[in-house]
Amino acid sequence: RGGGMSRAVFQPVGQKLLTNVAVVRLKRGGKRFEVACYKNKVLNWRHGAETDLREVLQTDDVFTNVVKGQFAKNGDLQKAFGTTDREAICRTIL
């Protein structure tokens, strides 16, 4: 392989590569909601050792499918959780 441009140039710009991911799911109102977290931080959060939500979550978005990158709709969040406050919803899911 000689010179030329790196293949990395062709990766989609909007793609989030999720590594070391734990997907935490909650089914509510007939819909599934997921958040992408750091594996080791979820247990710390549940045991009270970690209190900073930003340290636990990889992104503060709520998904219907993390792997496919499908975000939950605001209407579904409102119906299932009574709010569209993503931080509050993430706390509930965790």
Side-chain angles (χ1 to χ4, degrees):
R1 289 163 86 127
M5 291 187 359
S6 167
R7 289 213 180 277
V9 171
F10 300 108
Q11 283 186 339
V13 175
Q15 183 178 19
K16 282 187 180 175
L17 295 176
L18 299 173
T19 54
N20 185 28
V21 180
V23 177
V24 181
R25 295 181 179 94
L26 176 71
K27 198 165 187 176
R28 189 179 265 193
K31 301 252 187 222
R32 189 174 74 187
F33 300 97
E34 301 178 346
V35 289
C37 307
Y38 294 103
K39 284 180 184 172
N40 48 345
K41 296 286 187 175
V42 174
L43 290 174
N44 292 347
W45 172 267
R46 289 180 175 167
H47 293 302
E50 181 60 68
T51 55
D52 186 354
L53 191 62
R54 290 170 300 190
E55 289 291 318
V56 180
L57 298 174
Q58 292 207 349
T59 172
D60 63 354
D61 288 312
V62 179
F63 297 85
T64 53
N65 188 319
V66 167
V67 175
K68 292 181 180 174
Q70 296 171 337
F71 298 104
K73 295 183 179 84
N74 279 340
D76 293 340
L77 293 173
Q78 183 67 44
K79 224 182 289 181
F81 296 96
T83 182
T84 55
D85 177 2
R86 300 220 185 280
E87 186 173 317
I89 293 168
C90 288
R91 287 177 187 277
T92 302
I93 293 172
L94 286 171

